[in-house]
Amino acid sequence: MLWTPKIRLVTVLCSIVFVIGTTLQNYVIIDLDLIERSMWLKGADTGGAPGYLGALRLVGNVFIVGNALGLLVWFRWRRLFWPVLAVNVGQAFGVYVVPFEVHRAAIAEHGWPGVLPSVVTDGGAVILSIVLVVAYVRSRRLTRTGDPVRL
């Protein structure tokens, strides 16, 4: 894919926001008390909360690194398109994967700011994924000479 200036700028700006939001979610919002409360709200045994917290933080760290990879798009590295798209599609699934009880517990503990990083990163990843797919499809359309159409 051709990294046009607009797509590069959007991707880098979103990556900055997603790194900050995921870091806030991973280390400020999510803690053991919040996990235990969300498990209690769901009716699950809270004994596994420390293990669940560790797994959740591991996944968050993967997304922090993956979103930081999106910052390298600024340098027009073509091979970054698929990894950046994969990270954003994966983060977009957070909208469906994270149980609603986690959001209820975050609201109870931190108020609406407790869900803001998750909403921004997961919802933003949905939008960025759509933008990247559309840009890819548009860049693959051929002109009469056979060259890709620039966005």
Side-chain angles (χ1 to χ4, degrees):
M1 168 156 135
L2 298 173
W3 288 108
T4 64
K6 288 179 187 176
I7 298 299
R8 278 186 15 238
L9 181 63
V10 167
T11 304
V12 169
L13 290 176
C14 285
S15 295
I16 291 168
V17 170
F18 297 166
V19 166
I20 293 168
T22 306
T23 302
L24 283 172
Q25 186 72 19
N26 209 29
Y27 293 105
V28 176
I29 304 296
I30 302 292
D31 59 7
L32 188 57
D33 292 336
L34 187 130
I35 296 299
E36 287 175 344
R37 182 177 177 101
S38 65
M39 292 174 92
W40 179 79
L41 287 170
K42 192 166 178 122
D45 179 33
T46 59
Y52 185 74
L53 177 63
L56 192 61
R57 286 216 170 126
L58 178 65
V59 170
N61 289 336
V62 169
F63 282 119
I64 291 169
V65 171
N67 286 317
L69 185 67
L71 300 173
L72 298 176
V73 166
W74 188 254
F75 301 107
R76 299 181 190 162
W77 295 348
R78 289 181 178 212
R79 294 179 184 222
L80 285 178
F81 176 77
W82 294 110
V84 168
L85 180 61
V87 166
N88 282 286
V89 167
Q91 192 150 10
F93 275 109
V95 172
Y96 305 107
V97 173
V98 175
F100 185 70
E101 289 80 13
V102 173
H103 296 299
R104 284 181 47 204
I107 291 169
E109 190 170 321
H110 302 285
W112 283 104
V115 294
L116 191 59
S118 181
V119 169
V120 169
T121 56
D122 296 352
V126 170
I127 294 168
L128 182 58
S129 297
I130 292 168
V131 167
L132 289 175
V133 168
V134 168
Y136 178 77
V137 169
R138 288 184 65 190
S139 74
R140 289 288 159 213
R141 278 196 255 154
L142 300 178
T143 62
R144 292 182 202 200
T145 62
D147 296 330
V149 175
R150 293 198 52 96
L151 300 176

